[in-house]
Amino acid sequence: MRMRLAVAAAVLGATAAVAVPTTATAAPSTISSSWYDTHEDFNKNAACQQRGQWWKDNHTNVIRWRCDWTSTSRFHLYLLLR
């Protein structure tokens, strides 16, 4: 019986050792976040960046923002939310 427990412990220990790096690298991706379209367009990138900073300063769920150049020659603001 002790031999079975020793073998089972060795197998479980080896499995756990292999699983630890996988769970450690997967931990940061468990934060749920998504990009939100603000439907705000700007003529200048600086104005878009300023508005993105305003959103981040005034709303705790904003992680970051991005200003994408659109086909209509304007900057469009997106927010990354938690």
Side-chain angles (χ1 to χ4, degrees):
M1 183 68 167
R2 288 184 183 181
M3 186 61 163
R4 287 184 190 170
L5 290 176
V7 170
V11 169
L12 289 175
T15 304
V18 171
V20 169
T22 305
T23 55
T25 57
S29 65
T30 58
I31 298 172
S32 178
S33 59
S34 60
W35 287 100
Y36 171 73
D37 182 357
T38 62
H39 301 286
E40 295 181 76
D41 290 319
F42 301 89
N43 291 328
K44 296 183 179 180
N45 188 24
C48 185
Q49 295 293 334
Q50 185 178 21
R51 182 67 172 163
Q53 185 65 52
W54 180 88
W55 275 96
K56 185 167 187 200
D57 292 345
N58 292 290
H59 299 280
T60 58
N61 63 334
V62 176
I63 299 170
R64 70 177 74 141
W65 70 91
R66 73 175 198 236
C67 295
D68 291 348
W69 184 250
T70 65
S71 60
T72 59
S73 299
R74 298 180 63 105
F75 291 94
H76 194 80
L77 179 62
Y78 294 94
L79 305 173
L80 184 62
L81 305 177
R82 295 183 221 266

